[in-house]
Amino acid sequence: MTTPFPFTAVVGQDDLRLALLLNAVSPAVGGVLVRGEKGTAKSTAVRALSVLLPAVAVVPGCRFSCDPASPDPACPDGPHEPGRGTERPARMVELPVGASEDRLVGALDIERALAEGVKAFEPGLLADAHRGILYVDEVNLLHDHLVDLLLDAAAMGASYVEREGVSVRHASKFLLVGTMNPEEGELRPQLLDRFGLTVEVAASREPEQRVEVVRRRLAYDDDPAAFAARWADEEAAVRQRIVAARALLPSVRLGDGALRQIAATCAAFEVDGMRADIVMARTATALAAWAGRTDVLAEDVRQAALLALPHRRRRNPFDAPGLDEDKLDETLEQFSGNDGDGGDGGDDGDDDDPGPDGPGGGGQQQPESGPQGDGGDAARPEAGEGGQPQASGGQQQSAVRAAEPFRTRVLSVPGIGEGAAGRRSRARTEHGRTTGARRPRGALTKLHLAATVQAAAPHQRARGRSGPGLVVRRDDLRQATREGREGNLVLFVVDASGSMAARQRMSAVKGAVLSLLLDAYQRRDKVGLVTFRGAAAEVALPPTSSVDAAAVRLESLPTGGRTPLAAGLLKAHEVLRVERLRDPARRPLVVVVTDGRATGGPEPLLLASRAAGLFAAGQVASVVVDCESGPVRLGLAGKLAGELGGTAVTLDELRADSIAGLVKGIQHSRRAA
C-alpha cells in the first residue's frame, strides 16, 4: 500500500487544512470544495486526511459498512442483529471523472435476474464511501448524470438502484470532497450548494515557502515511509485532537447571539435558501470544538462565513467568488449583542490557539489572481475608462463594459450527435428516453427488456425449457439505445473592427455575446473566442470549458481598425480543424457576431465569401448575429449567413420569440443551398 503524504507536512494552505479538519470533527458540515490552480496540493491534502480519521466500527461481512450499534434495517446484506462489530480504517473512495453510472451506484447481474429471479447486486462507489470520504478530483468535469446521482445520495443519505423492476436501496452517507481548477469550467449551482465549505488555494509567492515545498516533496519521493515516520508525532497529535473535538462537539452551545449573527450575515450577502445558515451554524460549532471551547464566539461565526458563503453569494456564473470582509465585519458588529450566551465575541482567550490548523488559520483569503490571473473584478473596466492597454495604431479604442446580459433562446446543432453529455443538441447518450435496441458492444449497461424477451422467445423449445422461467442466453441480451442532449463547441467569431466600435453599440454586442456565454455555461458547452480587427484575426481564447475565461477576455476586448472578415473566418475554420482532431465527437456551432462589412486588402468581400464557403462545404452549423444599425441597412450579414449555410438573426431577435425557428432556419438554408 502506498504511504500517503502526511497531512501535517503540507506547507501553508491553512484554509484548506482547516476546512478539511472541521469536516473530520463534524461530518454534518457537508464537505469541502477546493478551488484553485493546478499543482497546489489539493489532492495531496485530501488524500492525507483519510489517515487522520478515526476507525469505523462495521458489521462483519457487510458490504455496505453497517454500524453494528444501529444497522440499516434495509441493508441488502441484512438484516443484522445489533451487537459488537469489527473496526477498520475510514475509507477514502475516489470517483473518476469518466466513471459509469453502474460503477457509481452498483450493478445488477441481469442474466441471473432474468434466468433465476434473484437480486444479484454488486455494490458501487456510493456503498464503498458510506461512513467515509467520497473524493472527486476535477469535480467540475463530472458528467451531469453522475452529478444528479450524487445530489440524490447526498440529499437522502441513501442510494437507490432501479433496473427493470429490480429495486435495491442502501445507506450512503459520506463526506463529499471535490477539487477543481476554475479555468476548466464551473460547477452547476445545485452541486455547488451541496458542498458545505469552499476554499480557494493558490501557490505561495514567497520564495522561502516554495523552497520548503520542494524540499519536503523531494524527501517524500526519495523515501515515503521514512518521511512519514518523521511526521508521525505531529500526525498522532492531530488525530487525538480530532477525537477530542468530536467528543466535545455535543457540549458546544450555539447561543442566540451567535445565531442572530449567522442569520444577519446570510441575509446581508443575499444567499439563496437556508442551507447557508445551517452550514454556518454547524461550522461555527465545529470551530469552537476544535479550539476546545463549549461556547461559540463571534470569531467562530466570522470564520464560518468566510468558509461557507463565498460559493453561495455568486449571483451569476461570472461573479468572482469571495466575500467583502469589511461588510462582513460591519454586519457582525451590528448584531453583536452582549447577551452573555457566547454570541458577543468578548472572550479573547481563543487567540492562544496553537498552530496553523486552529481557527486562526488565516480565514478565507481572496486569491492573488482570479482564474485567469485577472484579479476578479479588476479585469472588468468601467465604460469610458482609458485604463486598457493601447496597441499601436491610433484607431484603437479602450474596451467598453458589456451591457446587461439577457436570456437567449436555444441555438442548437441540427441532426443527432454522440458527443459529451450536455443540454444543447440532440444526441445518442447513455441517458434519456429509450428509442430502440441493439446488441451490446462490450458490457451491458442498459437492458431493453422487451427486445431481450423477443430475442429469446423463439429458442425456448430448442433450449429445453420445461418450467415457467425464461431461458436466456447472452446472445439474447439487447442494449437499449437512448436519446438525450449533448454539449457542443460554441465558437464565437466577434468583429472588433472600427465599423463596430461605436461605444454604445459595442456594449450591446458584448452584452449579447455575454448572454450567449451564460447560455453555454448552463448547457455545459465548450466555448472558444476568435476576434478580428485591423489587419488580422486572433484566437482570444482556445476552446475551453471555462466560460468565465471567455467572459473576461470579452470584457477586455478593444476595438478599432479595419474589418478583416475573411481572416476571422479562416482563423475560426483552423480552430475547428484542430479541435476536431482532439474531440471528434463534439459537434461545433459557430456564432459570427458582425455587421457583415469587410475592408482591407484586395476584394475583401470576395475573400470573405470564399472563406464562408469552407463552413458550408463542411456542413458546420452557424448563426450570424447581425449587428448592423442605422436607417440604411446593406444586408451584408444576411448574405454572409447564406454563404455560411446558416441563418442570420438580429440583436433584437436574439431575445425575442421569433428566434424559436432558428434551428429550422439553419436546416432550410442548407437545403436551399
Side-chain angles (χ1 to χ4, degrees):
M1 180 178 178
T2 304
T3 303
F5 193 92
F7 187 85
T8 52
V10 175
V11 178
Q13 308 297 11
D14 296 339
D15 290 342
L16 170 58
R17 293 194 291 164
L18 176 60
L20 292 172
L21 288 168
L22 292 177
N23 275 274
V25 171
S26 176
V29 166
V32 186
L33 174 64
V34 187
R35 297 165 46 95
E37 58 198 30
K38 52 188 176 292
T40 50
K42 300 188 298 292
S43 301
T44 299
V46 175
R47 293 188 176 98
L49 175 69
S50 61
V51 181
L52 299 178
L53 296 180
V56 177
V58 298
V59 173
C62 178
R63 298 174 298 167
F64 301 88
S65 302
C66 280
D67 186 348
S70 57
D72 180 9
C75 176
D77 284 355
H80 306 298
E81 293 295 330
R84 299 187 62 182
T86 59
E87 286 193 344
R88 63 161 176 78
R91 289 175 180 164
M92 190 198 74
V93 177
E94 295 194 40
L95 172 60
V97 169
S100 66
E101 179 181 343
D102 287 345
R103 185 70 187 98
L104 179 62
V105 302
L108 293 170
D109 188 331
I110 301 297
E111 290 182 81
R112 290 190 63 193
L114 285 173
E116 304 174 29
V118 299
K119 297 180 181 180
F121 180 69
E122 185 66 27
L125 297 178
L126 289 179
D128 293 342
H130 180 46
R131 305 174 67 199
I133 300 173
L134 181 60
Y135 171 51
V136 188
D137 194 15
E138 305 294 350
V139 63
N140 50 323
L141 304 182
L142 197 64
H143 283 218
D144 277 356
H145 69 283
L146 297 182
V147 170
D148 293 335
L149 293 170
L150 276 182
L151 290 176
D152 290 342
M156 297 183 293
S159 175
Y160 294 84
V161 184
E162 303 285 346
R163 296 290 170 84
E164 304 295 344
V166 182
S167 177
V168 175
R169 176 257 180 216
H170 64 82
S172 181
K173 297 179 180 179
F174 48 82
L175 170 61
L176 182 61
V177 180
T179 59
M180 60 174 284
N181 184 345
E183 292 183 1
E184 297 175 341
E186 281 291 348
L187 278 177
R188 287 170 53 186
Q190 295 92 329
L191 182 58
L192 194 64
D193 191 49
R194 289 292 180 184
F195 287 98
L197 310 179
T198 184
V199 291
E200 295 277 341
V201 296
S204 172
R205 300 298 185 258
E206 295 293 330
E208 289 302 320
Q209 194 171 65
R210 296 175 74 97
V211 167
E212 185 61 23
V213 170
V214 175
R215 182 181 292 120
R216 292 187 186 183
R217 185 68 208 191
L218 293 178
Y220 171 77
D221 291 340
D222 288 342
D223 192 340
F227 182 81
R230 292 201 297 272
W231 292 88
D233 292 342
E234 288 83 352
E235 294 281 285
V238 173
R239 190 178 295 109
Q240 292 171 4
R241 190 174 175 185
I242 292 173
V243 173
R246 281 190 173 187
L248 182 62
L249 187 64
S251 303
V252 175
R253 191 166 66 102
L254 182 66
D256 289 342
L259 276 174
R260 281 195 295 272
Q261 287 183 317
I262 290 171
T265 301
C266 292
F269 286 99
E270 300 180 350
V271 296
D272 296 329
M274 294 297 298
R275 183 173 283 116
D277 304 63
I278 297 171
V279 171
M280 272 190 66
R282 289 171 174 168
T283 305
T285 304
L287 281 162
W290 178 248
R293 289 184 273 101
T294 56
D295 285 325
V296 174
L297 306 181
E299 60 201 69
D300 298 326
V301 176
R302 185 182 193 278
Q303 182 70 67
L306 292 170
L307 292 171
L309 296 188
H311 60 304
R312 293 187 167 91
R313 62 157 290 276
R314 292 167 58 121
R315 309 313 299 172
N316 69 64
F318 303 142
D319 287 342
L323 292 183
D324 182 341
E325 295 196 31
D326 291 336
K327 180 179 178 180
L328 173 61
D329 291 336
E330 290 175 4
T331 304
L332 295 176
E333 179 66 26
Q334 181 181 354
F335 289 87
S336 60
N338 293 318
D339 55 5
D341 63 2
D344 58 357
D347 184 357
D348 58 0
D350 184 53
D351 291 339
D352 296 331
D353 179 75
D357 296 320
Q364 176 79 8
Q365 300 295 326
Q366 291 290 336
E368 296 181 14
S369 63
Q372 290 76 43
D374 51 59
D377 290 339
R380 297 175 180 255
E382 294 291 337
E385 289 181 346
Q388 292 297 322
Q390 296 289 329
S392 59
Q395 291 184 312
Q396 178 169 322
Q397 301 180 12
S398 61
V400 298
R401 180 180 289 275
E404 191 69 21
F406 53 86
R407 188 172 187 84
T408 67
R409 298 302 297 266
V410 180
L411 310 180
S412 301
V413 178
I416 301 179
E418 295 182 346
R423 293 191 180 87
R424 184 171 295 278
S425 305
R426 294 173 58 199
R428 298 182 183 91
T429 63
E430 289 293 318
H431 305 272
R433 63 185 182 89
T434 301
T435 58
R438 60 172 174 79
R439 291 181 180 273
R441 306 186 188 104
L444 178 70
T445 56
K446 298 289 184 183
L447 178 74
H448 194 294
L449 182 59
T452 299
V453 172
Q454 187 176 8
H459 308 290
Q460 296 305 296
R461 179 176 297 179
R463 293 172 182 174
R465 172 184 168 184
S466 58
L470 188 69
V471 181
V472 179
R473 303 280 173 82
R474 175 167 291 277
D475 289 343
D476 301 327
L477 299 179
R478 295 295 182 269
Q479 174 86 20
T481 58
R482 302 194 174 193
E483 183 178 309
R485 293 281 171 176
E486 67 177 358
N488 298 111
L489 166 60
V490 182
L491 182 62
F492 294 94
V493 186
V494 180
D495 183 349
S497 66
S499 66
M500 299 275 290
R503 298 185 70 81
Q504 184 176 0
R505 184 171 164 212
M506 196 62 192
S507 177
V509 170
K510 285 188 175 182
V513 178
L514 189 63
S515 303
L516 291 167
L517 282 172
L518 279 166
D519 182 69
Y521 164 80
Q522 294 164 352
R523 300 187 187 282
R524 312 299 288 174
D525 295 316
K526 291 180 71 174
V527 296
L529 179 61
V530 172
T531 64
F532 56 96
R533 57 172 297 276
E538 66 171 341
V539 181
L541 183 73
T544 175
S545 296
S546 175
V547 293
D548 282 18
V552 170
R553 302 292 174 87
L554 178 70
E555 284 283 7
S556 59
L557 178 66
T559 59
R562 294 183 178 275
T563 311
L565 177 57
L569 295 176
L570 290 174
K571 181 67 71 173
H573 188 267
E574 176 64 16
V575 170
L576 293 184
R577 186 189 67 80
V578 174
E579 193 64 20
R580 193 176 293 113
L581 297 175
R582 295 174 177 169
D583 191 357
R586 190 180 291 269
R587 297 187 295 162
L589 172 64
V590 176
V591 180
V592 184
V593 184
T594 182
D595 55 12
R597 290 181 172 87
T599 59
E603 300 184 317
L605 286 174
L606 177 60
L607 292 177
S609 176
R610 290 175 178 175
L614 297 175
F615 292 84
Q619 295 189 326
V620 177
S622 58
V623 176
V624 177
V625 179
D626 185 358
C627 302
E628 189 174 27
S629 61
V632 179
R633 295 177 179 267
L634 302 178
L636 296 176
K639 181 180 178 182
L640 174 64
E643 293 167 341
L644 287 167
T647 191
V649 56
T650 66
L651 287 175
D652 292 336
E653 291 171 338
L654 196 57
R655 66 172 85 204
D657 291 341
S658 57
I659 201 174
L662 187 58
V663 178
K664 293 181 180 179
I666 296 174
Q667 295 170 320
H668 292 163
S669 298
R670 284 188 182 166
R671 290 168 185 164

